[in-house]
């Protein structure tokens, strides 16, 4: 059998008989990662994400019946219809419209999206006098978050 020549550079560490001896004053191998600058803040490599920020406390509006709900608060407008929830943040809302249903028994709220699409939710007012309570509340809350419309 013939003896093979040692592998060339780039194929791993040199054989032990050819490895350079560490300097006598150091015991740990040098680190290959650059040291962070002294002015940079140190962070653990896997820091926890900060908790999501809650919108500032402000007025809110809530209209609910057996199946549907409308919520207007600092984060935007949310509709719940038969267990499905759709949320619209204020930056994506072009406008919010509301009125009484033709028979006067329900509140009809529509959100117009920035791209022109609109979404509606109808909440029954029982007793009917509740509808007359909802209108000034909703107008005030919408005026607080969207003073220009």
């Amino acid at each position: 059998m013939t003896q093979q020549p040692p592998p060339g550079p780039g194929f791993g560490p040199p054989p032990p008989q050819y490895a350079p001896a560490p300097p006598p004053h150091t015991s740990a191998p040098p680190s290959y990662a650059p040291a962070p600058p002294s002015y940079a803040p140190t962070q653990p490599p896997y820091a926890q994400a900060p908790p999501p920020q809650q919108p500032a406390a402000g007025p809110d509006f809530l209209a609910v019946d057996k199946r549907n709900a409308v919520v207007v608060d600092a984060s935007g407008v949310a509709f719940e219809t038969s267990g499905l929830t759709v949320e619209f943040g204020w930056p994506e809302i072009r406008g919010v419209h509301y009125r009484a249903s033709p028979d006067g028994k329900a509140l009809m709220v529509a959100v117009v999206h920035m791209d022109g699409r609109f979404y509606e939710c109808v909440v029954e007012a029982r007793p009917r006098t509740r509808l007359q309570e909802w209108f000034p509340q909703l107008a005030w809350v919408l005026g607080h978050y969207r003073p220009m419309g």
Side-chain angles (χ1 to χ4, degrees), residues 4 16 21 31 38 48 53 55 63 65 67 77 82 85-86 95 136 148:
Q4 295 182 356
S31 171
S38 61
Q48 293 181 356
Q53 292 190 6
D65 67 14
R67 291 173 292 222
V77 179
S82 301
T85 302
V86 180
M148 302 306 279

Side-chain angles (χ1 to χ4, degrees), residues 58-60 98 135-145:
D60 58 352
Y98 61 94
F135 280 124
Q137 291 174 359
L138 181 55
W140 186 76
V141 171
L142 287 174
H144 179 80
Y145 295 115

